[in-house]
Amino acid sequence: MKIIMVKNVKILMLVALAAISCKEADSSKKENKSEGIEEVKEIQKISLADKNATTETQILYKNLFDLQEKGYMFGHQDDLAYGVNWKYEEGRSDIKDVVSDYPAVYGWDIGRIENKEEKNLDGVPFAKMREYIQQAHSRGGVSTISWHINNPMTGGDSWDNAEGTVASILPGGEYHDKYKGWLDNAADFLLSLKDDEGKLIPILYRPYHEFTGNWFWWCKNTTSKEQFVELWKFTVNYYMEKGVHNLIYVYNVSNANVTSKADFLEYYPGDDMADYVSFDIYQMGDGEKQEQFIKDTKNLVAVMTEIAQERNKLSAIAETGYEQVPDKNWWTQTLDKAIGDEKISFVLVWRNHGWNDWLKPARMHYYAPYKDNVSVEDFKEFYNQENTLFQSDVTKFNLYSTAKP
């Protein structure tokens, strides 16, 4: 009888333990499910211009907000395509040659896609550009695209800023249908940017950049506020109608004619039409010009970040640099000093073309260090700072995943 009672007690204990185990497992499942629901809710709070943006695009946008708290990403135009004294060498990058790491942001331009040309305005084949964007994405990097689009009214290039160009391509304008055809060509390329699973790769898309200047046909000297806003909204809506849902839209001004929030937002298309606010600025010399660059950059970063915080947007210095980087301490003592402690998403320097016969006078044309540049050691120090983020940093952060790093 004692043996039976002991056995029964053991059985009851096993049943009780099993019940507790099941309860804990059920509780764990509920907690996991609850966490998953909260993640989805958090993503849904993101207010992208494209309300039908792909899940991957929404996730990237959310994660970029989180990443911005850790530091700013470093970017470089055409980084994988060519550099000083080289072109189309698989896996090469001037940045990688210097610090054994790629930039976190890769800049590209689709100028000449409007005419279905094989290469863009800087000679990069679109087929290769697609490959480079796919490579960057596979590493967890971010790609941004601008468009130096030809003048649809005159047949000239982007710098042919003839009066009335924007008016001519708006609905009802003489060249509206022609311009829609150009947008179709761009849409086809953007829809061809897919990862190994066939999913669209998210892109930071920066149309009609530097419009506060006076050098492009969409600039404010030849375009009214109403025309610019209508063009922006038409472009965004047209892409969405074409099924292009992998774009994060970047509103971009130049430092020209912009010193205040009012200047920055004068042509702003609205919070429902832009996801980033950004500006472009270049240092044009040393001495007083360097001091002016630091002063203007500090001011614009402060203006921009205030706008971004008020409107729940990301912010960036979308283009910058000092040609040939002749200052050996430029990265830590000028660029990083100008950004200061403000929270921005990324800073991108322009391309490393090398010798350029088209410039007047002809000269070396590059904005990132290469192995023989005088600023190499300072760039290494810049790279090692906690607040500067490169490819290896963003790879660890899993920008395209809801999983926490």
Side-chain angles (χ1 to χ4, degrees):
M1 187 68 173
K2 185 177 179 181
I3 295 174
I4 293 173
M5 288 179 65
V6 171
K7 186 176 181 180
N8 287 341
V9 169
K10 286 182 177 179
I11 292 171
L12 288 170
M13 289 177 67
L14 288 170
V15 170
L17 287 170
I20 292 170
S21 178
C22 288
K23 187 175 181 180
E24 288 178 347
D26 185 56
S27 175
S28 177
K29 287 179 182 177
K30 286 180 179 178
E31 288 176 5
N32 290 338
K33 184 177 181 181
S34 176
E35 288 176 3
I37 291 171
E38 289 305 312
E39 285 178 353
V40 171
K41 285 182 178 178
E42 196 170 0
I43 293 171
Q44 289 174 341
K45 288 180 183 177
I46 299 299
S47 181
L48 282 162
D50 185 350
K51 305 309 176 190
N52 295 312
T54 65
T55 300
E56 293 73 25
T57 304
Q58 294 180 54
I59 290 171
L60 173 62
Y61 192 52
K62 174 205 170 294
N63 283 339
L64 287 173
F65 274 96
D66 295 338
L67 185 65
Q68 186 173 257
E69 294 303 310
K70 296 182 179 295
Y72 58 86
M73 296 182 289
F74 178 81
H76 185 210
Q77 187 76 6
D78 288 346
D79 183 78
L80 302 176
Y82 54 83
V84 178
N85 300 323
W86 65 272
K87 184 177 287 187
Y88 309 134
E89 294 183 24
E90 188 64 30
R92 192 171 181 186
S93 151
D94 278 346
I95 300 299
K96 186 170 179 283
D97 284 352
V98 173
V99 294
S100 300
D101 200 357
Y102 291 106
V105 178
Y106 303 78
W108 307 101
D109 193 278
I110 56 172
R112 305 298 182 268
I113 197 78
E114 58 269 26
N115 297 327
K116 292 187 174 182
E117 294 184 23
E118 181 185 348
K119 300 178 181 179
N120 79 345
L121 77 166
D122 295 317
V124 180
F126 286 107
K128 280 191 172 292
M129 187 186 299
R130 183 185 299 109
E131 291 176 9
Y132 295 140
I133 290 172
Q134 291 167 335
Q135 289 174 16
H137 180 265
S138 70
R139 288 193 289 265
V142 179
S143 287
T144 179
I145 288 178
S146 56
W147 190 1
H148 283 86
I149 186 171
N150 285 339
N151 187 312
M153 182 179 76
T154 66
D157 60 21
S158 301
W159 292 267
D160 183 3
N161 59 340
E163 186 82 35
T165 301
V166 170
S168 77
I169 62 175
L170 293 173
E174 183 178 358
Y175 298 100
H176 180 61
D177 288 339
K178 176 182 181 179
Y179 194 67
K180 286 198 297 182
W182 287 8
L183 289 176
D184 288 340
N185 295 339
D188 288 343
F189 179 75
L190 295 167
L191 289 171
S192 75
L193 304 175
K194 297 181 179 180
D195 63 18
D196 292 339
E197 296 179 358
K199 295 179 180 179
L200 288 171
I201 296 173
I203 298 293
L204 308 185
Y205 185 63
R206 187 169 61 103
Y208 314 122
H209 65 294
E210 300 178 358
F211 69 86
T212 57
N214 61 3
W215 42 85
F216 297 132
W217 57 258
W218 56 83
C219 281
K220 62 183 295 184
N221 65 315
T222 58
T223 306
S224 70
K225 172 184 176 180
E226 292 73 22
Q227 290 170 341
F228 183 87
V229 171
E230 185 178 355
L231 175 62
W232 183 285
K233 290 182 176 181
F234 173 79
T235 302
V236 172
N237 288 323
Y238 192 80
Y239 277 138
M240 291 191 290
E241 289 173 10
K242 291 294 178 178
V244 183
H245 297 299
N246 56 323
L247 303 183
I248 294 172
Y249 291 91
V250 182
Y251 172 81
N252 178 256
V253 303
S254 165
N255 64 306
N257 306 309
V258 179
T259 59
S260 66
K261 285 173 64 177
D263 297 335
F264 202 106
L265 293 172
E266 184 181 3
Y267 279 39
Y268 186 61
D271 290 341
D272 61 337
M273 283 283 142
D275 307 310
Y276 261 86
V277 290
S278 68
F279 69 88
D280 294 359
I281 186 169
Y282 287 87
Q283 182 173 325
M284 305 306 291
D286 58 8
E288 291 183 2
K289 291 182 178 179
Q290 182 175 30
E291 292 175 9
Q292 191 65 47
F293 172 81
I294 294 174
K295 179 182 177 181
D296 291 347
T297 302
K298 275 181 173 291
N299 176 59
L300 284 176
V301 167
V303 167
M304 176 180 69
T305 53
E306 184 177 349
I307 291 170
Q309 290 166 4
E310 290 174 350
R311 297 170 182 272
N312 196 28
K313 305 295 179 185
L314 288 165
S315 62
I317 301 178
E319 283 185 40
T320 193
Y322 186 11
E323 189 179 49
Q324 299 181 24
V325 203
D327 180 352
K328 67 177 184 178
N329 296 315
W330 189 79
W331 303 100
T332 61
Q333 299 305 308
T334 297
L335 181 60
D336 188 61
K337 180 180 177 181
I339 295 171
D341 296 327
E342 299 283 3
K343 301 289 187 182
I344 67 172
S345 179
F346 72 88
V347 57
L348 180 144
V349 297
W350 204 236
R351 66 199 189 105
N352 278 18
H353 180 277
W355 184 259
N356 193 323
D357 286 316
W358 292 95
L359 295 176
K360 298 185 187 307
R363 60 186 182 271
M364 289 293 283
H365 182 62
Y366 63 90
Y367 291 87
Y370 69 105
K371 58 185 178 181
D372 294 327
N373 178 254
V374 297
S375 72
V376 162
E377 293 306 314
D378 187 60
F379 188 77
K380 290 178 181 178
E381 185 177 335
F382 175 78
Y383 170 80
N384 286 320
Q385 292 179 177
E386 289 188 6
N387 66 323
T388 57
L389 306 174
F390 286 71
Q391 180 64 76
S392 61
D393 300 303
V394 298
T395 298
K396 295 173 186 174
F397 202 80
N398 296 326
L399 285 175
Y400 299 93
S401 171
T402 56
K404 303 301 180 184

